[in-house]
Amino acid sequence: MAPFFWVSASFGGMYRARPGRFFCCALFLFFRAPGGAAAVAPGRGLGHNRLMSKPAEERSPPDTSPGQRPGGPPAFEGRRRARRLALAVLGLTHIAAFASFGVQLEGLVGAEGIMPAADFLERAGQYFTGRGESPWANLPSLAWITGASDGVMTAFCVLGALCGGLLVAGVVPRLALFVAWALYLSLLPLGSPFLSYQWDILLLEVSFVGLFYAPRGWRPRPSTGEAEPPAAGVWLMRLVLFKLMLMSGAVKLTSGDPTWQDLTALDYHYWTQPIPHPLAWFAHNLPDWTRSFSVLGNHFAELFAPWLVLFAPRGWRLFAWGVGIVLIMAWGVGDLGAVHVLCGGLLTVALGWRDRHRSRWPAALVFTGLLLTIAGTGNYGFFHLLTFALVLTLLHDGDLSRLVGRPLAWARARGWANNVAPPSSEAGPAAPRWLRRVTLAAAVVIVPLSAAQLGLRLGGGTLRAWERGDAELSVVQRLAYDSSKWARAALDPVRQLHSINGYGLFARMTTTRYELIVEGTDDGQRWRAYRFVYKPDTPDAPLRFAGLHMPRLDWQMWFAALTPRCRGNWSVAFVRRLLEGSPAVKALLAHDPFPDAPPRAIRIRRVDTRFTTPAEREASGDVWAFDEAGTWCRPLTTDDFAGR
């Protein structure tokens, strides 16, 4: 652990001491490194220099590359077109993320918003300066230079969306990724607490790792000699996907939540999730066995399919792997744990180590199915698109060629696409040596840190029990605990960059749902409710599709409702802005019951909420059933904020 600790600590020290110099060095490495502009020999393949140095008559015949079985797929298919598609999807994700936040920022963190970013930046600067610390190192943001006015933050969002457009178009992809990463990192502290979800830091990590994956040049294309992505860059992207999926599955086991073990989690999920859409009601009312089977499918996708990212069994070995995983899950159902996950990993290693150069289409297929089921029952913004960009890194160009080939042949047989050629799977020239070395150096730091985070997640429950004195650790578990301490120390200098993260989605399933009803009065007698766009406020509130949009105020209201009483944080600031009649804040709502003048007082009620049954919906037409659960926030007036 010591070597990567010192490497990480050294880079972290540079960042904390001279943040500006740190970013300049990063730009130098990626855009002006010596040898970066050197041309690569057109015939140079993926690490086959010796092959191409032989005379033409000694080379392998055109239909059989080295390591290829006669008549089988090439052992080294290209990845340039798969990378192009993955980066285009990542570009669409950036467009969605920046555009979605951009249309909400004035009401959330603008000058007249709920939590003004300019005020936060001023207080943070005074705090860190008073402690003799660098504000840049603790809260890295370009806003320390530009300020945090509404215009500046809007410009950040516009520039970020433009960078996403450049990624979609395949223009200066590496520079576009770097700028998008820096802009989103700059917005992250300004948008707190509304910009603090796991897919926000996932977008930062994917963008950062993508710098080692993206091609060089202004407009790289396979037809103009675009180099293949460095192998280490491909594997860094895959590692993020592996970590995201396996950690999300691991936290469900280590959290101690019984619903994930007894397969009842989805009995609650569809109606207790933050913002369900219309299909969620129908999914909830499916037969019980379908929900239990779906939980098993989730465990398969998050705990066992991730091993297919690392190893690729094929043919009868893939079939044997599937049978083995089914037996492991049958053995552990009701009490799944780290031992079952590790057994699945060892089985994958035993059956798939020989096919290390093949694509990972089985894993891509499983993960795509998981994303479709999640997107089909809930609104999660750009999370699905971002994860799908990672899934595409599992494929080779040959997979795309075969995927497109059959529909294209069908169309050409009918004379509809005679001039369209199927995409080639031929491998291009290798990436420059300097880029491969830089990427490998980054992998030496990132991989051990991510592995330590993963180990901590898998044994998290036991480690916490050991820290409380309630359990004993085995030698392996103690080693994992010691490794995690090294990882935390190594990550600390660069933690604020949010580019090497741990994840864990839906660790504990909420089994009840509460909604907050915000009401105002202008006479102290009649209370009228504000209406939100996506959050249910009445039993007849329709379920809506949000698409790639992330309605952050509606999400925060869901989190706030988990606590029985108001805690006096952003929610009180929200009430204050409504009492002041802030147009920016009211623009986030679907209906303002006081359009002419703000109310005299505002209160927030808490109601117990659930989906209606089919019989109840047929009788009343309502999707929701509401039951009173008391007052969440007492009536507040402008007098309560006097002097603040």
Side-chain angles (χ1 to χ4, degrees):
M1 288 291 181
F4 79 82
F5 168 76
W6 291 115
V7 171
S8 177
S10 299
F11 278 103
M14 179 192 296
Y15 162 72
R16 297 182 75 88
R18 295 286 190 270
R21 186 176 299 175
F22 176 85
F23 288 108
C24 289
C25 289
L27 283 170
F28 175 81
L29 280 174
F30 286 104
F31 305 113
R32 300 291 296 173
V40 181
R44 186 176 175 185
L46 271 166
H48 294 293
N49 299 331
R50 288 180 293 178
L51 172 67
M52 299 310 297
S53 66
K54 294 181 180 181
E57 61 273 11
E58 297 182 20
R59 298 178 188 171
S60 299
D63 60 342
T64 308
S65 59
Q68 176 188 357
R69 300 184 188 94
F76 297 97
E77 292 179 326
R79 295 170 178 163
R80 294 176 295 173
R81 288 171 175 81
R83 173 175 64 181
R84 176 78 176 82
L85 184 58
L87 291 178
V89 174
L90 182 56
L92 289 174
T93 305
H94 277 289
I95 293 174
F98 281 106
S100 176
F101 185 67
V103 298
Q104 303 175 78
L105 70 85
E106 288 190 6
L108 296 177
V109 295
E112 300 298 324
I114 299 172
M115 303 287 285
D119 295 347
F120 166 78
L121 199 67
E122 181 181 0
R123 293 193 303 270
Q126 294 173 352
Y127 173 78
F128 291 121
T129 302
R131 297 184 58 179
E133 299 178 6
S134 168
W136 271 91
N138 288 277
L139 290 175
S141 175
L142 295 173
W144 293 115
I145 300 174
T146 63
S149 66
D150 293 7
V152 166
M153 290 189 292
T154 300
F156 283 178
C157 291
V158 171
L159 288 175
L162 288 176
C163 288
L166 291 176
L167 276 175
V168 173
V171 178
V172 288
R174 191 175 297 164
L175 178 61
L177 265 180
F178 182 83
V179 174
W181 172 79
L183 291 172
Y184 209 76
L185 180 65
S186 299
L187 286 171
L188 201 67
L190 305 180
S192 178
F194 305 102
L195 206 65
S196 57
Y197 303 121
Q198 292 197 44
W199 33 90
D200 292 317
I201 60 173
L202 177 62
L203 180 59
L204 283 174
E205 181 166 6
V206 174
S207 300
F208 175 75
V209 173
L211 294 173
F212 306 99
Y213 178 70
R216 304 161 57 236
W218 289 95
R219 191 176 171 82
R221 293 291 185 274
S223 59
T224 59
E226 174 191 348
E228 291 287 338
V234 175
W235 280 105
L236 283 175
M237 295 288 280
R238 292 176 175 180
L239 175 64
V240 177
L241 178 62
F242 175 81
K243 182 173 63 171
L244 170 67
M245 290 297 179
L246 194 57
M247 282 188 174
S248 296
V251 296
K252 293 175 174 61
L253 305 184
T254 59
S255 66
D257 185 353
T259 64
W260 288 111
Q261 295 285 6
D262 62 21
L263 309 183
T264 60
L266 294 185
D267 291 352
Y268 308 100
H269 168 73
Y270 296 125
W271 58 278
T272 63
Q273 62 180 317
I275 305 178
H277 61 53
L279 297 181
W281 185 90
F282 296 98
H284 173 69
N285 286 288
L286 289 173
D288 293 345
W289 68 266
T290 61
R291 296 194 296 272
S292 298
F293 185 79
S294 297
V295 177
L296 283 174
N298 183 87
H299 288 330
F300 173 79
E302 291 186 343
L303 295 172
F304 300 101
W307 297 108
L308 293 176
V309 173
L310 305 183
F311 302 94
R314 286 294 187 273
W316 69 267
R317 290 191 295 274
L318 181 59
F319 176 78
W321 177 86
V323 172
I325 294 301
V326 169
L327 293 176
I328 291 174
M329 294 183 68
W331 163 39
V333 67
D335 191 28
L336 277 173
V339 63
H340 305 96
V341 177
L342 293 177
C343 284
L346 292 174
L347 177 65
T348 315
V349 173
L351 294 174
W353 67 271
R354 295 183 178 181
D355 299 310
R356 59 189 181 279
H357 296 299
R358 290 182 179 270
S359 75
R360 268 60 180 173
W361 67 260
L365 187 63
V366 173
F367 294 150
T368 301
L370 176 65
L371 293 175
L372 287 175
T373 57
I374 297 175
T377 56
N379 290 300
Y380 293 95
F382 57 82
F383 168 70
H384 315 100
L385 200 61
L386 175 57
T387 308
F388 185 62
L390 291 173
V391 170
L392 289 172
T393 66
L394 301 176
L395 302 179
H396 291 182
D397 292 350
D399 298 312
L400 301 181
S401 180
R402 289 183 285 274
L403 186 65
V404 175
R406 289 185 179 181
L408 185 59
W410 182 86
R412 294 173 74 177
R414 286 157 178 76
W416 297 341
N418 292 330
N419 297 325
V420 180
S424 171
S425 60
E426 181 181 355
R433 181 177 299 176
W434 71 267
L435 180 58
R436 298 201 302 271
R437 289 177 176 176
V438 170
T439 306
L440 187 59
V444 168
V445 177
I446 295 173
V447 172
L449 292 175
S450 298
Q453 288 177 329
L454 184 59
L456 185 62
R457 288 285 186 181
L458 286 174
T462 303
L463 295 177
R464 287 191 294 271
W466 175 77
E467 289 175 338
R468 297 193 303 266
D470 299 334
E472 295 293 332
L473 293 185
S474 66
V475 175
V476 175
Q477 290 171 329
R478 183 58 185 265
L479 180 61
Y481 180 76
D482 292 339
S483 299
S484 70
K485 292 193 295 184
W486 280 98
R488 288 167 180 166
L491 276 169
D492 185 63
V494 292
R495 189 180 303 278
Q496 297 301 330
L497 294 178
H498 301 289
S499 296
I500 304 176
N501 307 304
Y503 303 97
L505 304 175
F506 296 107
R508 299 188 66 87
M509 185 57 62
T510 52
T511 56
T512 56
R513 181 189 184 95
Y514 292 97
E515 287 294 342
L516 301 180
I517 310 300
V518 183
E519 298 175 323
T521 181
D522 51 8
D523 58 8
Q525 301 297 322
R526 182 188 175 198
W527 294 88
R528 289 178 282 175
Y530 289 87
R531 296 283 182 260
F532 289 75
V533 179
Y534 297 97
K535 187 185 81 66
D537 305 294
T538 60
D540 62 349
L543 300 173
R544 292 188 172 92
F545 287 102
L548 298 178
H549 178 55
M550 186 72 188
R552 296 183 181 269
L553 178 59
D554 297 61
W555 268 74
Q556 284 298 119
M557 293 295 289
W558 181 86
F559 281 109
L562 297 177
T563 59
R565 292 289 182 271
C566 175
R567 292 183 175 179
N569 47 15
W570 66 268
S571 56
V572 173
F574 173 50
V575 170
R576 180 178 183 176
R577 289 303 190 193
L578 291 179
L579 289 170
E580 295 171 352
S582 169
V585 174
K586 292 195 294 183
L588 299 174
L589 304 174
H591 172 66
D592 173 20
F594 304 95
D596 300 324
R600 289 173 48 192
I602 288 180
R603 71 182 183 185
I604 302 179
R605 294 186 296 112
R606 192 173 186 236
V607 295
D608 193 350
T609 312
R610 62 172 176 83
F611 273 162
T612 55
T613 64
E616 289 172 333
R617 186 172 185 178
E618 184 178 0
S620 65
D622 295 341
V623 177
W624 300 98
F626 280 12
D627 293 308
E628 286 294 329
T631 299
W632 190 78
C633 181
R634 67 174 179 83
L636 297 175
T637 67
T638 53
D639 294 338
D640 292 298
F641 301 98
R644 293 189 182 182

